[in-house]
Structure formats: structure tokens, C-alpha cells
Amino acid sequence: MVAHPNIQEQVQKELGSALSPSKLVCYEDRKRLPYTSAVIKETQRFSNIILFGAPRVCVDDMNVLGNFIEKNTLVIPDLCSINLDPKLWETPRQFNPNHFLDKDGKFIVRDEFLPFGTGSRACLGKYIAQVELFVLFTSLVRAFTFRLPEEVKEVNTEPVIAAVVHPRPFKLCAVPH
């Protein structure tokens, strides 16, 4: 949100209009917070923490989109290529919550959004992580406005690629909202 103050402001406006100030945020609130939900999903798409999904072994010969994959072939899903594919995303290399909103501003589920993998071997923690991300993010953005310190003009958003992808260290201020 430090890198996108206008988006942070929109989330805060939506939170202020959709939720009573005294109400604690719960996961069910996501249904009334389409923009906030889109920002969370876009954060996961744009700033994914893993580059590749869990390796799998093909159990049968198969044809996937015209490509023959032989039985016992090791398959490693390239999540980055999905998250940054210009055929799937209007502006793949920009942070754009509209990727998850329809023309009327309603939240949409995207089949090509796979931060937890897919199928029977998707991340076991997927559902608890979704709840935690929503409740933590909305609670923090509701309570604080995040900005850079006076002496810092911009944050470097280029990730550090290591065992997991993570942001470069930076300072921020959490100002009570």
C-alpha cells in the first residue's frame, strides 16, 4: 500500500462505507468489500512468494494443450509465467486490482489465479491463509495509513528472488487512520 497510496485510499473508503467503525472484521465481510478483495488477490498475483509449484510426476501419457507428456515425466508448474501472462492479464506487470473486478466493480473469481496451486494437491493451508490474509489486511488498513517516512521518496518494489520471493527491506510509517 506504500507503493500505491491511491489504492490504499480506495480500500479505506470502501471499508469506511461498508463496515461500522465498531464492528470487528470477519471473513464474511469480503462479500461487501469487492475492491478490497480484489486488492488482496492482486497482491498475491503480483507479488507471489514462490516461482514454481510443487513438482509432480505424470501418472499417464497425456496431451496438454497440444503438448505430449510421457508417463513418469517430472512436471514443474511455472507460476510466474501464469501470473505474468499477457494473454491472461490485461496489465500483467502492473499492480492492477481491476484484474479481479468486472465492469460494474463486482469481484470476480479468475480460474487462472493459482497462488496455492490447484487440484487435489493444492496447498492444504489455502483456506486458513485466505481468511488470515483478508482479516489481517482489512484490519491493518482500517486502523492505519501506511506511508513512506519523510526522508524516503520511493520504495523499490523489485523482489529479491531466493528460496522464496520476498520484498527488499524498506522503512514505512503506520499512521493511525
Side-chain angles (χ1 to χ4, degrees), residues 1 8 11-16 18-19 23-40 130-146 177:
M1 295 298 88
Q8 177 177 224
V11 169
Q12 289 172 326
K13 282 181 184 174
E14 183 180 65
L15 289 168
L19 302 178
K23 182 186 182 303
L24 290 175
V25 176
C26 70
Y27 190 57
E28 282 299 306
D29 292 328
R30 76 192 185 287
K31 296 173 184 171
R32 295 183 300 156
L33 299 166
Y35 188 76
T36 301
S37 296
V39 168
I40 293 167
Q130 289 173 330
V131 171
E132 289 176 341
L133 281 168
F134 180 82
V135 172
L136 182 63
F137 177 79
T138 54
S139 298
L140 285 172
V141 175
R142 193 173 180 202
F144 300 100
T145 296
F146 296 94
H177 180 65

Side-chain angles (χ1 to χ4, degrees), residues 53-54 56 113-127 130:
R56 309 285 166 79
F113 177 66
L114 305 171
F116 299 102
T118 188
S120 61
R121 290 186 177 81
C123 176
L124 290 174
K126 173 182 179 175
Y127 298 108
Q130 289 173 330

Side-chain angles (χ1 to χ4, degrees), residues 29 31 97 103 109-110 173:
D29 292 328
K31 296 173 184 171
K103 61 180 175 22
V109 175
R110 302 275 306 256
C173 297

Side-chain angles (χ1 to χ4, degrees), residues 20-91:
S20 158
S22 60
K23 182 186 182 303
L24 290 175
V25 176
C26 70
Y27 190 57
E28 282 299 306
D29 292 328
R30 76 192 185 287
K31 296 173 184 171
R32 295 183 300 156
L33 299 166
Y35 188 76
T36 301
S37 296
V39 168
I40 293 167
K41 298 300 185 197
E42 179 65 358
T43 300
Q44 290 178 275
R45 182 201 69 83
F46 189 73
S47 304
N48 59 311
I49 61 170
I50 58 172
L51 298 174
F52 302 100
R56 309 285 166 79
V57 174
C58 204
V59 294
D60 291 312
D61 289 346
M62 61 187 334
N63 191 315
V64 178
L65 301 174
N67 298 295
F68 178 74
I69 302 174
E70 191 175 320
K71 181 180 179 175
N72 295 323
T73 300
L74 181 66
V75 178
I76 302 174
D78 180 356
L79 300 178
C80 248
S81 70
I82 295 168
N83 288 335
L84 300 175
D85 188 338
K87 294 176 193 153
L88 302 174
W89 308 99
E90 183 181 333
T91 54

